[in-house]
Amino acid sequence: MLPESVQAFIDAEVAASTTDFSDLRAVYINGTLKPSPEQSHTDGLIAVSRRVVAGVGARVDEIRTVDHDIPPGVYPDMREHGWPTDTFPELYHSLIEPADIVVLATPTWLGDQSSVTRLMVERLYGYSGEANEKGQWAYYGKVGGVIVTGNEDGGKHCASQLLYALSHIGFTIPPQADAYWNGEAGPGPSYLDDNRGAQNHWTTRNTVFAAWNMLHTARRLKDAGGIPAHGNVISNWDLSNKEHPNPEYR
């Protein structure tokens, strides 16, 4: 739990906001390796961000990837490619597609993002070739962000990989759209152990900044009708090539 003074400051900023965010939706994709209801340190840091986003009235959903039957792949529905089950299409259409903000949250293992976080990056990529109503790539007009936890180094490395991936497939990345907490090198406490992470005001500040920056950017994008559809409409480009019939090389 955050110190009472920090919670009070965050709540005061939320209460003082004069912007209507109630029509926005955010989804946090938690890449913990622990199935529910096991405690997730990553969820502990997500909670700080959620306090801001939900506090201003935006709808907030969370996907704990490991709780779902999601096979690997880079196609929208892997049942069409040999897998007997795939719950990702349902999650995508019900929670990710309608979201204005998508946050990838991951623990750090061996200095890198978790395996299920990378799995979700690949599955998000599978839908990136679809078009929105303007004829742009599917994620144009959506905001992306990243949260990283761990008890070893790798926070900035994970954030740089994930933010690039989100940007590359079409998400808009606000300034300072990532936050991380890493404990001391080697074995040691994780974010929720001994309430260690909550005492780190630097991490808390950056998490709160990231939440507000994602909200402000999503608000402006939504009010502007998304990214202008000039110079980036898919149908204006014919990439057909008889030697390479699939220009995406999947």
Side-chain angles (χ1 to χ4, degrees):
M1 176 178 287
L2 295 174
E4 290 185 7
S5 60
V6 176
Q7 290 189 56
F9 179 78
I10 294 172
D11 292 344
E13 284 198 328
V14 168
S17 174
T18 58
T19 303
D20 183 7
F21 296 106
S22 61
D23 60 332
L24 297 185
R25 291 182 60 169
V27 59
Y28 293 82
I29 302 176
N30 186 347
T32 179
L33 302 182
K34 302 169 183 174
S36 299
E38 191 172 350
Q39 183 187 67
S40 161
H41 296 285
T42 303
D43 196 45
L45 189 53
I46 288 174
V48 178
S49 182
R50 288 181 61 133
R51 190 180 187 96
V52 176
V53 177
V56 296
R59 170 174 167 171
V60 176
D61 295 292
E62 185 172 338
I63 299 169
R64 187 179 287 208
T65 302
V66 74
D67 288 343
H68 303 276
D69 188 2
I70 303 175
V74 291
Y75 292 94
D77 192 337
M78 294 308 298
R79 290 171 295 189
E80 299 174 359
H81 298 271
W83 290 88
T85 58
D86 186 1
T87 60
F88 186 72
E90 180 183 353
L91 291 170
Y92 176 81
H93 290 300
S94 63
L95 299 178
I96 297 171
E97 187 176 28
D100 304 286
I101 299 170
V102 177
V103 182
L104 294 175
T106 183
T108 308
W109 293 109
L110 298 175
D112 216 330
Q113 61 197 269
S114 71
S115 57
V116 294
T117 297
R118 198 64 201 173
L119 167 69
M120 289 299 273
V121 170
E122 292 165 348
R123 297 307 306 271
L124 287 171
Y125 174 78
Y127 277 97
S128 67
E130 297 196 352
N132 65 18
E133 65 280 1
K134 293 181 179 181
Q136 304 163 312
W137 300 123
Y139 300 121
Y140 273 44
K142 296 184 184 297
V143 170
V146 170
I147 288 173
V148 183
T149 60
N151 60 2
E152 56 185 298
D153 198 10
K156 291 181 179 179
H157 168 71
C158 292
S160 64
Q161 284 193 319
L162 295 173
L163 288 173
Y164 168 76
L166 290 171
S167 173
H168 182 74
I169 62 176
F171 285 89
T172 298
I173 308 301
Q176 197 173 331
D178 67 292
Y180 71 90
W181 185 86
N182 290 137
E184 295 182 3
S190 293
Y191 184 79
L192 293 173
D193 291 336
D194 304 322
N195 213 28
R196 187 69 59 88
Q199 304 301 319
N200 189 310
H201 292 180
W202 184 87
T203 291
T204 301
R205 182 195 66 183
N206 286 352
T207 305
V208 171
F209 277 15
W212 281 110
N213 289 340
M214 288 187 289
L215 284 167
H216 291 318
T217 304
R219 176 74 280 153
R220 281 152 180 74
L221 281 172
K222 192 148 192 164
D223 290 347
I227 300 293
H230 180 83
N232 56 34
V233 176
I234 304 165
S235 59
N236 290 344
W237 289 81
D238 180 6
L239 299 182
S240 58
N241 185 325
K242 63 181 180 181
E243 296 181 2
H244 301 289
N246 184 352
E248 310 228 358
Y249 304 107
R250 287 204 181 107

